[in-house]
Amino acid sequence: MDIQKIQQYKSAFDLIAKDIKDDEGNSIEVWYARELQQVLGYARWENFVVAIGRALESCKTLGINVDDHFREVTKMIALAKGAQREVQDFMLTRYACYLIAQNGDPKKEEIAFAQSYFAVQTRKAELIEERLNEVARLNTRERLRASEKQLSRNIYQRGVDDRGFGRIRSKGDYALFGGLSTDQMKKRLFSASFCLKKVICLKMKHIQFSKRAFWDTSFRCGA
């Protein structure tokens, strides 16, 4: 997610934030569920209430007082010919919004952003971007581990020893990173893009090893 899109989402969430006073006069930042529904991309209130219900259950499971974070309220909506109707709404703290986002679909950009937005107290765009990048990096590292495990299992089944496996990995990484070793690249930057390149390289090696018995230790990634 680029910084322009992050700023766009941040502005939308900032716009619907409200400040209220508690019994002791302290300022509390809250969001109303009907407004949050829209920025999270839910078309129907009935579907959003399901997400709120899951968040309420999560709050109870964690032993946290639900009333401190979820307060059911009502609001008036305009109908035809100047009429009004009372509807259900919720006043939500930042933590309540975070739980709702955690129970949403992370494949939706709005939900993925909200998970970071409500987790970062300062709501600074650069911190949100950093957290989103960290989540992407961790997900890609998991893919890297799975790819390395798959490749090593394939190689060892064909009789290659530890030294041979090490040389194969080293040659592939040397070709992939323009003459730099894996250790050198790790020292420079162990980022999501680094991991993704490794995943691609390992998958290429796995495919070639699966198709042919090519065990020359001069093997290069993409050869």
Side-chain angles (χ1 to χ4, degrees):
M1 191 180 302
D2 60 44
I3 191 64
Q4 184 176 0
K5 183 63 71 69
I6 289 172
Q7 291 283 10
Q8 178 183 332
Y9 282 131
K10 180 181 179 297
S11 296
F13 282 91
D14 285 348
L15 190 63
I16 62 171
K18 308 287 192 300
D19 280 318
I20 63 169
K21 301 292 183 181
D22 64 12
D23 295 337
E24 297 178 355
N26 299 312
S27 181
I28 300 175
E29 198 173 29
V30 298
W31 287 259
Y32 285 94
R34 290 274 178 176
E35 295 176 331
L36 186 64
Q37 170 198 348
Q38 301 299 320
V39 295
L40 287 179
Y42 283 85
R44 295 175 58 84
W45 172 252
E46 293 80 4
N47 294 336
F48 192 51
V49 168
V50 174
I52 294 174
R54 288 197 294 263
L56 281 164
E57 289 302 316
S58 296
C59 196
K60 292 176 184 177
T61 300
L62 293 167
I64 297 171
N65 187 358
V66 170
D67 294 334
D68 289 342
H69 300 280
F70 299 80
R71 183 171 298 179
E72 188 170 355
V73 296
T74 57
K75 68 178 296 185
M76 303 301 292
I77 60 171
L79 301 175
K81 298 181 179 179
Q84 290 187 319
R85 179 165 63 90
E86 193 176 77
V87 295
Q88 179 192 38
D89 203 351
F90 289 89
M91 187 186 296
L92 309 164
T93 65
R94 174 181 291 277
Y95 184 66
C97 295
Y98 172 74
L99 290 178
I100 291 170
Q102 286 296 103
N103 282 279
D105 182 3
K107 293 179 183 177
K108 294 177 62 176
E109 268 197 351
E110 299 93 336
I111 296 294
F113 175 83
Q115 289 174 353
S116 294
Y117 176 89
F118 289 115
V120 178
Q121 291 295 327
T122 59
R123 292 183 288 123
K124 291 182 178 178
E126 60 269 23
L127 293 181
I128 295 170
E129 181 184 23
E130 181 181 320
R131 189 175 188 277
L132 288 169
N133 289 337
E134 177 67 10
V135 170
R137 185 180 68 83
L138 292 174
N139 289 339
T140 310
R141 287 189 69 174
E142 286 302 315
R143 292 171 59 191
L144 173 59
R145 290 191 187 97
S147 296
E148 287 187 327
K149 185 176 180 180
Q150 182 184 38
L151 177 64
S152 62
R153 181 170 56 247
N154 192 348
I155 290 176
Y156 288 132
Q157 285 176 350
R158 299 296 183 90
V160 176
D161 60 18
D162 289 341
R163 291 181 62 186
F165 178 62
R167 286 194 294 271
I168 290 170
R169 286 187 58 186
S170 178
K171 290 287 185 179
D173 290 346
Y174 185 85
L176 180 66
F177 300 123
L180 296 174
S181 68
T182 304
D183 287 339
Q184 288 173 322
M185 285 301 300
K186 284 181 180 179
K187 289 176 182 177
R188 286 192 172 193
L189 178 63
F190 203 103
S191 62
S193 59
F194 169 84
C195 293
L196 188 57
K197 284 184 178 181
K198 282 280 292 179
V199 170
I200 295 170
C201 180
L202 290 167
K203 286 187 179 297
M204 290 170 64
K205 291 178 182 178
H206 175 69
I207 291 170
Q208 292 201 25
F209 282 131
S210 298
K211 289 183 176 180
R212 56 179 176 162
F214 181 67
W215 304 114
D216 181 2
T217 55
S218 64
F219 174 82
R220 291 168 61 92
C221 180

